[in-house]
Amino acid sequence: MTYNFNTIEKKWQDYWAKNQTFKAENNSDKPKYYVLDMFPYPSGAGLHVGHPLGYIATDIYARYKRHKGFNVLHPQGYDSFGLPAEQYAIQTGQHPAITTETNIATYRRQLDKIGFSFDWSREVRTSNPEYYKWTQWIFIQLFESWYNYDNNKAEPIETLVVKFAAEGNANINAACDDTIEAFSAEEWNQFSSEKQQGILLQYRLTYLAETEVNWCPALGTVLANDEIVNGVSERGGHPVVRKKMTQWSMRISAFAERLLQGLETIDWTDSLKESQRNWIGKSVGASVTFNVNGHDEVIEVFTTRPDTIFGVSFMTLAPEHDLVSKIVTDDQKEAVNNYIEATAKRSERERMADVKTISGVFTGAYVEHPFSKEPIPIWIGDYVLASYGTGAVMAVPCGDQRDYDFAKHFNIEIPNIFEGVDISEEAFADKEATIIANSHFLNGLNYKDATKKVIEQLEALGQGNGKTNYRLRDAVFSRQRYWGEPFPVYYVNGMPQMIDQAHLPITLPEVEKYLPTETGEPPLGRADVWAWCTETNTVVSNGNINNTTVFPLELNTMPGWAGSSWYFFRYMEEAAKRGEAFASEEALKYWENVDLYIGGSEHATGHLLYARFWTKFLKDRGYVGVEEPFKKLINQGMILGTSAFVYRVEGENKFLSKGLIEGQKVQPIHSDVSFVNASDELDVEAFKNWREEFKDAEFVLEDGVYKVGREVEKMSKSKYNVVNPDNICEEYGADSLRLYEMFLGPLEQAKPWNTAGITGVHGFLKKLWKLFLENDALKVTDSEATKDNLKTLHKTIKKVEEDIENFSFNTSVSTFMIAVNELTAQKCTSKAVLEPLLVLISPYAPHIAEELWSQLGNEGSISTAAFPVFDEKHLVESSKNYPISFNGKMRFTLELPLDMSKEDIEKTVMAHEKTQEQLQGRTPKKVIIVHGKIVNIVG
RNA sequence: GCUGAAGUGGUGGAAUUGGUAGACACGUUGGACUUAAAAUCCAAUGAACAUUAGUUCGUGCGGGUUCAAGUCCCGCCUUCAGUACCA
């Protein structure tokens, strides 16, 4: 029997499925290990060879951990709500649930072919009502919570109500909206229930707020910042405008400091932690209020340099700032309005693109400097962003380059408050080298002391205090879409009410069309049965709405990140026990969190931040036991496509082979990569038959063949460089695919796919097979292993184990090749060597390993066989082939015993004829001998 | 601009603590087997020079440290990814 991979792979995939080989146990004496892939969205296009890269890596690790005696949880499921299925529904009218089902079936079929050791019994789908019941449940918990900064914890809203009733809100240290009115306990107790609810909504961890959002008219939806690329929607490329809307928001900003600090405790790459740090954007400084002259208004600013307060020579407000219209003088009104109008017209993109153009207008109004009491002019300028800080800046041109440029441009005074610094050319922003001057009580102080002192003085005046600001904004949680989780919310007099958790899930209603309504309401506005009856606690027809017992339901749905922010906890529970809770306490306690998480870096500031946020929240409320969801995280690099090009002579239907194009006017055209062989030769007939326009084309060959050009690009349909894993499995087998994906290069690095190279790993598997079987006969015997056999085996064990622990899977594939090459050369037939070798290989190439394992007479699966133990004694050498270098250049090698002393090595080397030949009579200045490593002769 | 990652043969890449640069593969060339092809096996393969022995150069560029640098230090260049006027 030859290596018939198709038969073998099918056989073992069926065996694993039938025997539930990879089912994880929730009760086990073994230590637990939880390996997770980032949640896939089942797209209609199916998998290409880039997708399984991370899955293969986690699968190898999961299988390795099983060999090492761990109880491994390695689940898979689908993030199955999402826009593509909805877009397809809009176009075709097909219900997104059906599209999703079909796509999942395709995904599953493709995944199964690759031989993953997933525990499919724990599969989850975010669009399944049994799953989103608990997404809705978590939403309710967020609504019923507030964030207490005194103990840095999310607490039940009842504890806040108790505080309000007892002491009002003056001393409450909570995460809340900026526009909170102060009230006493007496006032609170006299407020109407509606007013109380309105106030509480300003404190809840999920709340309704009027927010300026990115509205996409074409999609009829709001997009998050990370869903917009270059000012247009990421999916579809439609234009996006700013608009105010009432939206559900998540108070993630309350957790900013913990999200930042938590990074210190987890094993993620520095680049990933850095991007989360930047995203959170902590800056420490002070809040300062300036009184507006002749008005009862104040301008609050945030500054990281309160020490430079005497350098303020103007204020800048964002054009959108609320105060602008109130304070502008009659003289300046026209200019200001014109400017505001002009900036509003410019898209965000334009504003971003031209950073260099300085623009702004004087409002005519002044503030009073808190210390000098001098008047300071108030300007507006679009370099100040309404969405950061307070939307206002105290401009210190001598210490900030943007303020400096603005001042220069408008001829505003630039007072110098730094000792011994020249600011005639540019601003001076170096905190460390700062000594303050011309600043009254701050003179002579450094940055640190001046900052401390000025904050004291500001506090004494009641015009400021030390403050920490975060860039992290609260996250908008409403989507104007159909294919997402419905909110468990109905409205009484415009106030949102939670549906009791006993009545969950609230399932998606049917609609006849998946578009927004004609009046601009979300698609759920088209549902006829979408009202909540508080008597029967059911969803009823809209006709019954009377606003006394039957109320309208929320029309928005939740965003994609809702379901993916907690799915890793759902996998911990066995499918049969998922009815009672999102996961049982025992299951959560046993599995704790994800030990290894692998996925793409595109989730750095979206999913990975939200999932950490929800985990912290659930921990505070006592629902889970861990502060962080993912202990170790690795980003896999993208697999790129190797596109093929043919060259058409301009204006003719004639194609020149790659070597003939120099000096010719040719147009490169993508050819489908399947028409090209490993030697870059085009199958001209296949290409001609590809499209009508090429049918009669003329091909100019070189050396009898047509050579294509190659270029590395992103793998995509439009570039005709997509390679489908199904075809690879057909032709070479899943084991070859798995090995080759790993062999391509380091996991975290981007690398091009080139199918031609797969013959290398495929040939390796054939050689491995031949080591065990020849002409159907088992070659393996009980013969004693030779010293060389054992040496090969043990150096392989050592290297492979180190490689897996370091996620260096590419180098272990080479190690296997070397081992098999050596054992073949040694004509090894010893079971004592070949059987452990199979266990080493089985995480990488599980099908062939299972087959040979059973051919050796073993019962059951190889997957839980113990990992071979490395024994140093087989690698002990008695001699070393020393490289002998002269002035650092290796000239020859010399085999010497390892126990030879340095003196004897020197003597032997010096006496050697080749040494004398190299020295040509010179006497070396120095001879360096590093024992067991190298000899270097200097001179 | 900032942050992060990376630059090594024709190609993917290896070199784990500074110690024989190019492991392992692909491709290419030559050979064996075959009517032929495929498959398989053997040999060569960084560049230049040299009949051979061998010599010189060589890890993006320029310096430096060291007996010894792909690896460490300083200064640049290029590519990729993320982010974007953050006060």
Side-chain angles (χ1 to χ4, degrees), chain A residues 738-746 757 760-761 809-810 813-814 817:
Chain A
R738 294 170 60 108
L739 282 174
Y740 190 51
E741 294 241 357
M742 294 298 107
F743 188 64
L744 279 181
V761 292
F809 302 114
N810 55 324
V813 179
S814 315
M817 290 174 171

Side-chain angles (χ1 to χ4, degrees), chain A residues 16 21-22 35 57-69 72 74 114-118 738 842-847 850 861-865 867:
Chain A
W16 297 328
T21 310
F22 305 114
V35 189
T58 50
D59 199 57
I60 289 169
Y61 206 77
R63 286 173 179 271
Y64 167 73
K65 281 289 183 183
R66 289 193 196 96
H67 288 305
K68 281 285 191 178
V72 172
H74 185 36
I114 305 174
F116 293 117
S117 65
F118 292 130
R738 294 170 60 108
S842 85
Y844 293 79
H847 309 87
E850 289 277 23
S861 168
I862 193 175
S863 63
T864 50
F867 202 77

Side-chain angles (χ1 to χ4, degrees), chain A residues 537-665:
Chain A
N537 287 313
T538 50
V539 176
V540 297
S541 250
N542 297 2
N544 299 325
I545 293 175
N546 53 21
N547 286 312
T548 52
T549 56
V550 179
F551 301 94
L553 278 158
E554 168 75 53
L555 299 182
N556 289 292
T557 54
M558 297 187 195
W561 58 270
S564 60
S565 292
W566 70 277
Y567 76 109
F568 39 90
F569 290 125
R570 188 65 163 174
Y571 284 134
M572 294 178 183
E573 189 56 274
E574 294 169 54
K577 299 184 187 165
R578 284 173 176 171
E580 298 302 308
F582 69 89
S584 68
E585 213 174 300
E586 302 82 68
L588 290 161
K589 201 173 162 196
Y590 179 73
W591 291 108
E592 294 178 316
N593 45 16
V594 177
D595 294 283
L596 173 67
Y597 197 30
I598 296 188
S601 56
E602 67 273 19
H603 298 292
T605 49
H607 163 60
L608 288 173
L609 208 54
Y610 299 135
R612 294 182 62 218
F613 158 42
W614 278 30
T615 301
K616 287 176 194 303
F617 165 72
L618 290 171
K619 165 140 196 283
D620 286 355
R621 294 300 315 272
Y623 298 118
V624 305
V626 294
E627 180 80 16
E628 290 288 343
F630 315 119
K631 271 196 266 195
K632 182 173 177 69
L633 185 140
I634 294 177
N635 287 131
Q636 91 245 14
M638 204 191 310
I639 289 194
L640 305 164
T642 309
S643 307
F645 289 92
V646 293
Y647 303 93
R648 180 162 63 187
V649 179
E650 265 182 34
E652 292 179 60
N653 200 6
K654 181 170 151 188
F655 290 84
L656 298 182
S657 183
K658 172 90 190 300
L660 308 171
I661 59 171
E662 214 175 300
Q664 304 283 325
K665 284 208 163 173

Side-chain angles (χ1 to χ4, degrees), chain A residues 884-893 909-924 935-939:
Chain A
I884 313 297
S885 6
F886 293 81
N887 297 317
K889 281 176 193 162
M890 204 281 286
R891 289 304 178 211
F892 61 95
T893 58
V909 170
M910 290 312 293
H912 199 274
E913 55 175 294
K914 282 192 176 169
T915 307
Q916 292 311 316
E917 203 176 293
Q918 286 293 328
L919 287 171
Q920 294 187 328
R922 280 168 295 148
T923 316
V935 176
N936 191 13
I937 297 163
V938 187

